[in-house]
């Protein structure tokens, strides 16, 4: 096997498509957001990318059939812009792999005519988030204004540790080769999978690319997560009968 | 030394041989099963595969002679199908190495005319196993029925974490190049070397490939393991005098 | 992207320039010193070096614009020697990467006509430093005397663990290809960013290369660090009421 | 810099020289033994091997001069056989590097006409060693008898974990290309640098290659180590006044 192998599943004509990257990361915000796009809009699988940078792993589907780990591009037509949505279960396994793989991803996007790219992700706050701000970073200062109009917040020198992984390189490498690239980072505690943060990111994206989308299934996942959190709290706190009551009985 | 070096020890004519992979993994189930095949059927060593992906290591035999770490293929003639059994002491040392090495393994299998492959392994349950179910995963949905007839169980989306290492790639890469590949995973606690789980896997394999095999030596190993487990329990529990007795004395 | 990519931003004529390396390391002494040179002398950016050895990362500036991680060379004209100052946020990510990257750095220095190199860094003492000695190591014994005249101390076989990273290789690889290379290591506790140690290193460098430089902003940073240390102590010690007072109350 | 660079310092004529490998390992037994050969016999440096597999590091000598980390071959003439002694401060940094580097080492040995190789090392016992047995392993069963005559012990399948690192590959790769290779492993606790174990290994080597050598400086190092061990014990045990004495006073 070559270091990277690309299966060309389909090559539909797309109208000035926008690359949307949603690989795993903080709070799985980017991945949740990208997968929600695929669920709501019935995307068409167009490319599979296999690489020796991914773990040597297959996943098993509902029928017991194994599929080799890969990243996938789906073409998605919305009522607004056409999208080229990149999802998968893994980032690269090495520094160099991140560079090589992101270069391949940008090559594929360019092949479909994309000149704009949004890297979706989360930014950890370390505490429970009440209001889901979406932080931005761009490959070019000219892009800031339109993003601010869509509700994105820019904070000087933030995130302090920079942006790492494929999302960071979509900006860094994408910008160097002429993409108009932006990173949309939903604030999230960093401790849990966060569908609410994914929704906040998608709302910004919908405003920017002029499409409308339903959030019900994402809300359902958010409620499931809240139940999980509730149960964890219960287990930590023990039965909900306070000491005072016991004394009263005594 | 090249990244991979293959010693061609012998090249016997085999009749539609089936690749059986049994490298180290969970509960050493696959390795035990493959080695049991070699013990019972007197296989002929046909290939040694050396690679810089293996640890820089020699093993020392009963006469003090060192042998460089390698994976070995043995040709095995049973009363049923011909087998090409792959064993060894190591998996690859890197993501990329797993892909490269499995490709080499499949090349060798193809060279001997193999078109079918079984990756043997264990699947951890986290608790003591009473009944040794064998879980399956396949490269192609058409293979499911025959496996179910032989007693293999298929559970949607299991194992949840996918299948990793050479076994996973025998399915993933093998399937992509046209092998009919299946993974047979014996349930096992995951904490101990498990000859009973290896037997369960072999029973399925014998049914599938129509050979008969004796399990006595594997049973012996299972009994040894049980003695070991018994001793560990004793050490943890202290002397075997139950509380009741002590009260009686009191 | 290639393993190493060099952006040729500018190629000014320099007069026998001296390579000054100040990448991150112990106490960030080298980095602080090199950055102080850039602040005080208004250097001109001449080269950016991108490499797959750096983390897959962008930093975000005050306007929200992302820049791909790189190392930078600035040409700096002082009242003494011309300098070629190498700074950045990262060392290489692997053994091999350190060798490859340092070779590239030395290539660039040679391209500008540099034949001398100073690697700036810190050497950890494990305790608070009162007097900031600068330790030296050289690629050639003939360089010792001039450095001692400038106040550098040489101690046989020190630092005991050798010198690692790009600084070590500027000596090791630089010396092998004919550079007159020296490492100037400011003593520092090793626990904190140490602007005072950076000043000590710069004072030696200024004496060696016959330039004068203001240290005010470095002193300001040193004071900030002392405030930080003070606050950490307070937090550890609790409220500043001494035991004696309590007894008096008693 | 290439992955491996060899400085050809000298190429004296040697008479059927024997490769002696003594790189760092368990108890530094091999390294101590090889360095003792160089001290006692005044070897001539013949090759330096630099590699990107070694840490990016220079060591600093007594005059403050830095030398890039390397492995060294010395030609050593004894009253018995001629030796080619390989020493250094590091093993390779990766699996593949161990294979590549050992191949280079064997190439150099072959270039000097060596056909025999001894890899010196230690084998950990986990407890204090009273009698310093030397364990053996060979590339060819024909070598066992001569080694046993020189006092080497062979134990079936030991060491249980095999032999790792350059020593293991001198046997594994050396044997594959026709070297008569043996590993001499001095028993050692595994917790401390062990000059006594190094002496035991050298005594075997002297008997095998028919040279005589003085052990005084190695004994001095052994005594120093014992003082160190004594001090560590004192620190752990507290002041050396036994309980009995205290009771007597009472």
């Amino acid at each position: 096997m070559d270091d990277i192998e690309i299966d060309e599943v389909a090559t539909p004509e797309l109208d000035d498509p926008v690359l949307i990257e949603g690989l795993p990361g903080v709070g799985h915000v980017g991945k949740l957001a990208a997968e929600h796009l695929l669920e709501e809009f019935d995307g068409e699988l167009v490319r599979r990318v296999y690489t020796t940078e991914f773990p040597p792993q297959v996943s098993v589907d509902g029928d017991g059939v194994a599929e080799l780990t890969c990243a996938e591009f789906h073409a998605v037509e919305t009522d607004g812009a056409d999208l080229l949505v990149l999802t998968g279960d893994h980032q690269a396994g090495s520094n160099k792999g991140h560079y090589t793989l992101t270069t391949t991803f940008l090559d594929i996007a360019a092949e479909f005519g994309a000149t704009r790219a949004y890297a979706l992700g989360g930014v950890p706050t370390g505490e429970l988030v009440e209001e889901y701000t979406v932080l931005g970073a761009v490959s070019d200062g000219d892009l800031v204004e339109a993003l601010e109009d869509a509700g994105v917040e820019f904070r000087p020198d933030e995130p302090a540790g920079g942006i790492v992984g494929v999302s960071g390189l979509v900006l860094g490498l994408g910008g160097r080769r002429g993409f108009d690239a932006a990173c949309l980072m939903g604030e999230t505690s960093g401790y849990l999978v966060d569908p609410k943060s994914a929704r906040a990111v998608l709302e910004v994206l919908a405003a920017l690319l002029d499409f409308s989308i339903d959030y019900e299934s994402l809300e359902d996942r958010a409620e499931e997560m809240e139940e999980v959190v509730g149960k964890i709290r219960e287990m930590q706190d023990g039965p909900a009968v306070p000491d005072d009551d016991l004394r009263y009985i005594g």
Side-chain angles (χ1 to χ4, degrees), chain A residues 75-135:
Chain A
V76 172
E77 290 182 48
T78 73
D79 49 326
D82 281 2
L83 311 180
L84 199 57
V85 179
L86 166 59
T87 54
D89 287 332
H90 301 282
Q91 298 260 345
S94 70
N95 281 0
K96 182 173 172 177
H98 273 95
Y99 286 88
T100 319
L101 202 53
T102 308
T103 299
T104 297
F105 292 155
L106 293 168
D107 287 348
I108 291 172
E111 192 191 332
F112 278 92
T115 58
R116 288 177 293 165
Y118 291 97
L120 311 186
V123 61
T125 61
E127 48 195 37
L128 285 184
V129 175
E130 303 281 323
E131 220 169 314
Y132 285 87
T133 306
V134 174
L135 221 67

